[in-house]
Amino acid sequence: MTGLLVLTAVPAEAEAVRAGLTDPTVTVRAIGVGPAVAGATTARLLALAEAAGRPYRAVVSAGIAGGFAGRAPVGGTVLASRSVAADLGAESPTGFIPVDELGMPPELLGGGPTIDADPALLGALRAALPAAVVGAVLTVSTVTGTAASTTALADRHPDAVAEAMEGYAVAVAAAQAGIPFAELRTVSNPIGPRDRDGWRMREAFTALTEAARALS
């Protein structure tokens, strides 16, 4: 079994992770933005490694995220207790209906709309990153950008600390391959109405490099 596979959405995130690593057996790849490309590319990487007789020991989805105000500070680090397909479901006159409440069996959902982080992997990351905020990290296809949608999402997921666009998809691929999974994010901006002037990308990338030391 080879080392850890760390997957980011974009090259800048991958570079920030690599800058904090000291373990040469950790593989870092930028796999693209959004659940579709993230899930497909993760599955391909895991299948190729297994076919070559060098399966990875674990998979971590890492990168920058938006944080829920009052739950995860800008510039802070979050660890997912679970990765959630937050917009997989149906609209209704009374509000959003999660896909598991529509009668879909879990096996048709890759294990369900929520995948827990591997306890041992999460425990190791928590020990190495004691200041990190732990909670649900939501995966969305459309980034939240209004006060109303932010409130609705926070109310539906009271344990959510951040949202990103790839974690759940990577988690499904890892689960299908029987490989431990975790998600690590650093916060660049509060979730809500888009305010590019309020984003702190430099601080988030610096925090990502510092957090990546826990992956070595």
Side-chain angles (χ1 to χ4, degrees):
M1 181 175 287
T2 57
L4 183 69
L5 177 62
V6 182
L7 301 175
T8 72
V10 299
E13 293 169 320
E15 291 170 7
V17 170
R18 291 189 188 102
L21 295 175
T22 58
D23 184 347
T25 71
V26 177
T27 300
V28 184
R29 294 283 186 271
I31 58 174
V33 177
V37 69
T41 306
T42 302
R44 181 174 183 274
L45 291 172
L46 296 180
L48 287 173
E50 184 176 2
R54 298 189 298 272
Y56 292 101
R57 63 179 174 85
V59 180
V60 174
S61 177
I64 305 301
F68 284 95
R71 300 181 186 179
V74 171
T77 298
V78 301
L79 296 169
S81 57
R82 59 194 185 102
S83 297
V84 182
D87 54 10
L88 186 61
E91 290 185 329
S92 79
T94 57
F96 180 80
I97 305 174
V99 68
D100 56 332
E101 296 181 14
L102 298 174
M104 300 287 183
E107 59 269 21
L108 296 182
L109 303 173
T114 294
I115 296 181
D116 291 337
D118 177 78
L121 185 54
L122 176 59
L125 290 172
R126 292 185 71 169
L129 298 167
V133 178
V134 181
V137 176
L138 310 183
T139 298
V140 295
S141 296
T142 301
V143 174
T144 305
T146 70
S149 57
T150 300
T151 298
L153 202 59
D155 288 346
R156 284 208 311 272
H157 302 280
D159 64 332
V161 294
E163 74 167 19
M165 301 181 77
E166 298 82 27
Y168 173 78
V170 175
V172 169
Q176 294 291 308
I179 295 175
F181 164 83
E183 184 170 3
L184 181 158
R185 301 277 175 179
T186 57
V187 178
S188 60
N189 58 279
I191 296 169
R194 290 174 65 82
D195 176 16
R196 294 294 294 267
D197 291 336
W199 291 6
R200 298 292 180 263
M201 300 300 293
R202 180 177 298 178
E203 290 90 334
F205 279 117
T206 297
L208 186 58
T209 295
E210 293 173 355
R213 297 191 180 101
L215 303 173
S216 295

